Amino acid sequence: MRDSEQPKSTSRRIDDDDRDADTGVDIKDAAASDAVDVEIIDLDAEDAADDEANAADDDVEEVTIVDAETPDDDANDEASEANADDDADEQSEQADAAAKHDDSKDVVADADAKGDTSAKDAEDSAHDGSDRSDESADAASTDDGSARGGFHPIKTVKRQWKRFTDTKFYQVWNKRPKFSYGAYLCVMFSLVLVADMMLLWSIDTKHMYDPQLEHSFFRQILDSSYHSLSSTAGILNFFALAMVYLVCVTVINRFWVGTAVFGALAGVYAFACKIKYAMRTEPILPSDLGFLGGGGGGDNVASFVTDEYRPIIDHGVPLIVWFVVVCIVLQFLDRRRAFIHCSWLHPIRNMKNVFGNICRVAAPVLSIWLIVSYAGGLSSAHSSIREFVNEIGYSPIIWNVGDDARANGAATTFLSLTRVKAMEEEPGYDEAMMRTINDRYAKQAKAINAERDATLTDTTVINVLSETFSDPNRVPGVHFNVDPMPNVRALGDTTTSGLMLSPGYGGGTANIEFQQMTGLSMANFNGSLLSPYQQLLPTRPEVFSFNQMWNDACGSDSCSVAFHPFLQRFYLRNANYRKFGFSHLYTLDSNPKIKYAGTYEGKSGKSGNVTDEQAYRNVVDEVKKNASADKPAQFIELVTMQNHAPYPGIYGDENEFFAANESEVPDGEKGVIANYAKGLQRTDEATRQFLDELDAIDKPITVVFYGDHLPGIYTTAVDDPKNSLALHETDYFIWSNKASAARDMQLPAADAAYSSSNYFMAQTAQQLNARVSPYLALLTELHKEIPALSRAVTNGGTWSADASITYLDAEGKEMDPKHFSKKAKQLLNDYRVVQYDMMMGRNYLRGMGFMDLPKR
């Protein structure tokens, strides 16, 4: 029989003597005879092994052995691609053994294609094939590391992996199917539909989760929202969610892992939206993300969730967890590891690798570009994307994000706010323009200061933002026959007081605080800017705030101090207050912490928020300490928390407002309002004690006290658009102690009856008869012409929806901008340009002394 006709060995027996030899080569025994036939090496099979090694390299995205992708069943049933490198090693070792063995004369090549080939040719061919594979070269040129007296960890791992892949378990596991791209597409489409229905449910106040119903939590979500999939909100949500899904899959490049990430994000967003929308009629916004990491103590946000919404969290979290677990299991069951084939080790070996690598880079870049372009186009009225979504029915409602989410989808609202342009560019903005404005109001300041003789920074000014402080008896349909705020109401007879027009309802504290701190107005910003503290201030190199005038006067930031009996990261206050120039912001988690932080315990429960009595003690201690050391006057900021939602029934029979409640609202709403009124009464009494203690200090002190917004508990009143204005008016006063020359000063009603928080510092200077800077001169003159202004954030009613800004005169009546005087128009235009320079431009005015008080 010719060599070429000899059959290939079908079994292998390891020779004990050869196993002990230095070569470490296993010799195959072809038969039971004394002659040892060397296993026939098929050069085509060797080439196939090289091809398998190449294919294995091609399918490995990460440098790992275990994760190597196995071949399709119809490609090569004899070996997996993950073992291709070791197959090449074995072929090379067999070639070496054939060359060294005494009885091995020839190595017969496969007669189908190669003919007779010598053992030397087989060895050379094996080494040539090894040269084409880095791993095979290493295996062919180096025998077992132990034979050379050393340990080779990579080869050891590879050999162990080879043993594992020879097991029957692996052979069965290795035949699991690859999911097709068609299956992936079906999964993506179905999951985006489900996520879309969850988002539609999240902003539907008519359908809350009811544990008493027989249907499951998930079933209730789908039943309440599937019919809205064809609406404008449903279609636009679908587009937005599909783009987010695409980003997750292409960036991670593992389909089931990307699916798990997308599903978890969609679920968390939907459940958070449901709770926030029910409490404040607005969805989760980009500015809210600061609460999740470094922006506001996300671990404590849940403390504002009432028991009514706890079942959503209790059922939603397990639902998300189980979804993620299923996706992880599917990732193991699916033999297709990478969503997009690529090879980082051999990027240009063949066209498959070249094309795959290009797609691996291009796909995530293009998907991210797509969603960024889409988000930017939504906020640009003349973009091609805007024209496309307009055809679907997109109609942005920038003055009310709650209505916008209902009309266009929560996902669309979120994306439209991710690329916010705070203000449009001012035509002709340059240093010359700002110098003209500076000169104009420097002249106005000179005229005002000619009639004033006091220095503003000689007085300690305490600003008290009282959380949700407002008279419930002014709300339509609500009435108590017991006054919940008699002490604050009595101050109206002796000091400057009135109503403040607030841009918020049920929330937005930081925006009102921002206006009071800087003198700027939310009305001058684009409607898409919802939170300057989180969306704008972090990007500005420097920001002016009124406390800096006190810092300049005493030559140190020690004259500025703030207290907030909650968390410093809420609304990024820790970073923003440092940028404002405060020496310290004392909070529950600051270092050092706020000193007094006790809570109230009633007959039926305990409050979770620090009481106003405790919050005031911190301020009184600071003022007394400063006065006893005879230090310069201070600027003190206090943001309280006592009356923050929710309003549980912690007072029991001590709450007289249940019996005094004559409101024409449902019983459930009536009870919540009564609990709020009791807390308001406690604030009123604590404020009286606070002023009495300040009155006893022999240093001039002035307190600016105001409620930031109404609590979001007046459900019945909100349903009537005619109540919009009443739901945005809070109480304020400006009070001075006995040591102040302005003790008996009370501004006329024309300058006090109505105001907005951006005017408070100008009004304080007016009450103290203090000289002003050009900036305060601008605010003083603007307040005379337009007593109150605010961006509209309600659903219409008496407020102008098209302009999204409301202007009130001294009697609280709405003003029509078309009928403004020439002076009022000039002041409004200059005010907007000044705000542009401070918040968007180059701060030309700061260098010109626009914010500087006159020298003594």
Side-chain angles (χ1 to χ4, degrees), residues 399 791-792 794 796-807 814-815 817:
W399 59 90
R791 177 197 294 172
T794 64
T798 61
W799 286 27
S800 175
D802 53 352
S804 72
I805 300 177
T806 294
Y807 307 94
E814 189 175 2
M815 302 174 68

Side-chain angles (χ1 to χ4, degrees), residues 539-784:
T539 67
R540 297 298 293 169
E542 61 176 348
V543 179
F544 171 79
S545 56
F546 290 122
N547 64 290
Q548 294 168 18
M549 298 187 298
W550 274 258
N551 291 351
D552 293 340
C554 71
S556 169
D557 64 3
S558 61
C559 292
S560 297
V561 64
F563 300 90
H564 179 45
F566 198 58
L567 303 174
Q568 60 178 332
R569 292 178 180 268
F570 244 64
Y571 290 109
L572 295 173
R573 281 192 179 95
N574 55 338
N576 291 329
Y577 271 65
R578 284 196 300 269
K579 187 168 289 187
F580 285 152
F582 281 83
S583 60
H584 197 74
L585 169 63
Y586 292 92
T587 65
L588 297 179
D589 58 346
S590 61
N591 186 20
K593 297 180 180 180
I594 195 169
K595 185 176 181 181
Y596 301 105
T599 58
Y600 177 83
E601 185 170 1
K603 284 189 174 182
S604 301
K606 184 177 181 180
S607 169
N609 296 326
V610 176
T611 66
D612 285 347
E613 294 93 337
Q614 293 283 294
Y616 285 146
R617 287 185 66 187
N618 292 288
V619 176
V620 171
D621 274 12
E622 175 66 25
V623 174
K624 288 182 176 180
K625 181 180 67 175
N626 195 72
S628 62
D630 199 24
K631 293 182 178 179
Q634 296 174 288
F635 182 102
I636 299 177
E637 186 78 12
L638 170 63
V639 180
T640 71
M641 281 295 294
Q642 174 183 292
N643 294 316
H644 198 293
Y647 306 101
I650 62 175
Y651 304 105
D653 56 11
E654 293 179 344
N655 190 352
E656 66 271 31
F657 291 97
F658 279 102
N661 197 341
E662 299 175 352
S663 303
E664 299 176 356
V665 298
D667 291 341
E669 181 181 348
K670 184 181 293 187
V672 174
I673 296 174
N675 286 328
Y676 164 73
K678 183 62 177 179
L680 196 70
Q681 182 193 60
R682 291 176 45 230
T683 295
D684 179 75
E685 179 61 27
T687 302
R688 182 191 64 79
Q689 296 175 3
F690 173 60
L691 298 182
D692 287 346
E693 291 189 74
L694 295 178
D695 226 0
I697 299 175
D698 190 23
K699 291 284 185 179
I701 301 169
T702 293
V703 174
V704 180
F705 176 101
Y706 64 99
D708 54 346
H709 56 77
L710 274 73
I713 59 176
Y714 302 112
T715 306
T716 302
V718 167
D719 289 339
D720 188 349
K722 295 180 181 179
N723 299 329
S724 295
L725 184 58
L727 293 174
H728 287 80
E729 293 177 337
T730 66
D731 298 84
Y732 88 94
F733 64 80
I734 302 175
W735 171 93
S736 297
N737 71 343
K738 293 178 180 178
S740 173
R743 169 65 176 181
D744 298 322
M745 183 66 181
Q746 185 177 15
L747 297 181
D751 295 330
Y754 286 88
S755 187
S756 43
S757 60
N758 56 306
Y759 291 136
F760 284 159
M761 187 53 63
Q763 290 178 276
T764 300
Q766 183 179 358
Q767 173 155 319
L768 296 177
N769 198 36
R771 292 183 290 270
V772 297
S773 63
Y775 182 35
L776 285 174
L778 166 62
L779 293 173
T780 300
E781 294 301 308
L782 183 62
H783 185 229
K784 290 180 181 179

Side-chain angles (χ1 to χ4, degrees), residues 384-398:
S384 58
I385 291 176
R386 184 68 170 270
E387 293 176 1
F388 169 72
V389 295
N390 285 346
E391 291 294 325
I392 299 174
Y394 179 60
S395 179
I397 308 174
I398 59 177

Side-chain angles (χ1 to χ4, degrees), residues 393-440:
Y394 179 60
S395 179
I397 308 174
I398 59 177
W399 59 90
N400 189 326
V401 292
D403 287 350
D404 187 78
R406 279 198 300 270
N408 305 303
T412 306
T413 299
F414 185 93
L415 289 180
S416 69
L417 298 174
T418 55
R419 298 187 66 191
V420 175
K421 191 173 184 179
M423 300 180 72
E424 299 297 329
E425 293 184 7
E426 283 293 334
Y429 170 75
D430 58 13
E431 187 174 3
M433 172 188 280
M434 303 318 299
R435 187 167 296 281
T436 299
I437 291 178
N438 178 71
D439 293 344
R440 180 181 298 142

Side-chain angles (χ1 to χ4, degrees), residues 340-406:
I340 302 173
H341 162 82
C342 66
S343 174
W344 302 127
L345 294 178
H346 305 285
I348 59 175
R349 166 168 288 169
N350 51 45
M351 286 304 299
K352 180 182 180 183
N353 287 9
V354 172
F355 182 73
N357 288 346
I358 292 175
C359 291
R360 178 67 183 92
V361 174
V365 171
L366 289 176
S367 61
I368 293 173
W369 172 83
L370 178 63
I371 194 170
V372 169
S373 299
Y374 183 79
L378 289 174
S379 58
S380 178
H382 305 292
S383 66
S384 58
I385 291 176
R386 184 68 170 270
E387 293 176 1
F388 169 72
V389 295
N390 285 346
E391 291 294 325
I392 299 174
Y394 179 60
S395 179
I397 308 174
I398 59 177
W399 59 90
N400 189 326
V401 292
D403 287 350
D404 187 78
R406 279 198 300 270

Side-chain angles (χ1 to χ4, degrees), residues 447-501:
I448 293 174
N449 294 337
E451 299 178 358
R452 298 184 182 181
D453 57 7
T455 299
L456 183 60
T457 54
D458 285 347
T459 296
T460 291
V461 173
I462 304 172
N463 295 277
V464 178
L465 186 158
S466 185
E467 176 65 34
T468 69
F469 189 91
S470 59
D471 186 358
N473 282 323
R474 279 201 315 274
V475 177
V478 176
H479 180 70
F480 292 97
N481 57 32
V482 174
D483 190 355
M485 44 180 287
N487 295 295
V488 171
R489 195 183 308 280
L491 288 173
D493 298 331
T494 59
T495 191
T496 299
S497 65
L499 298 180
M500 184 200 81
L501 182 62

Side-chain angles (χ1 to χ4, degrees), residues 126-284:
H127 283 292
D128 289 341
S130 298
D131 291 339
R132 293 191 299 269
S133 173
D134 294 339
E135 290 83 357
S136 297
D138 179 73
S141 61
T142 305
D143 292 328
D144 189 357
S146 60
R148 296 176 179 267
F151 176 72
H152 198 301
I154 295 179
K155 286 182 65 63
T156 301
V157 171
K158 290 171 66 177
R159 290 183 184 281
Q160 293 300 323
W161 173 248
K162 180 62 171 64
R163 292 179 182 177
F164 170 68
T165 57
D166 285 339
T167 63
K168 290 183 178 180
F169 168 79
Y170 181 82
Q171 297 303 322
V172 175
W173 172 255
N174 195 43
K175 293 182 181 297
R176 71 192 189 280
K178 289 182 180 179
F179 283 62
S180 68
Y181 287 100
Y184 290 162
L185 185 61
C186 291
V187 171
M188 292 180 70
F189 183 82
S190 301
L191 186 56
V192 170
L193 278 181
V194 172
D196 194 354
M197 285 187 280
M198 292 177 68
L199 288 190
L200 292 171
W201 165 80
S202 71
I203 56 173
D204 182 2
T205 55
K206 296 180 180 179
H207 295 90
M208 297 296 294
Y209 170 61
D210 187 355
Q212 304 301 321
L213 295 180
E214 62 180 23
H215 296 314
S216 66
F217 175 62
F218 189 62
R219 173 71 180 276
Q220 290 185 43
I221 293 176
L222 301 188
D223 285 348
S224 67
S225 56
Y226 74 89
H227 58 277
S228 300
L229 286 173
S230 60
S231 66
T232 298
I235 295 173
L236 293 178
N237 267 343
F238 187 91
F239 288 156
L241 291 168
M243 284 184 281
V244 174
Y245 201 157
L246 190 63
V247 170
C248 292
V249 172
T250 56
V251 170
I252 299 173
N253 202 31
R254 295 291 187 273
F255 178 78
W256 296 109
V257 176
T259 297
V261 172
F262 169 78
L265 289 175
V268 170
Y269 183 78
F271 300 142
C273 266
K274 186 66 173 178
I275 295 172
K276 186 183 179 188
Y277 200 91
M279 297 182 68
R280 291 178 50 178
T281 64
E282 68 178 31
I284 297 296

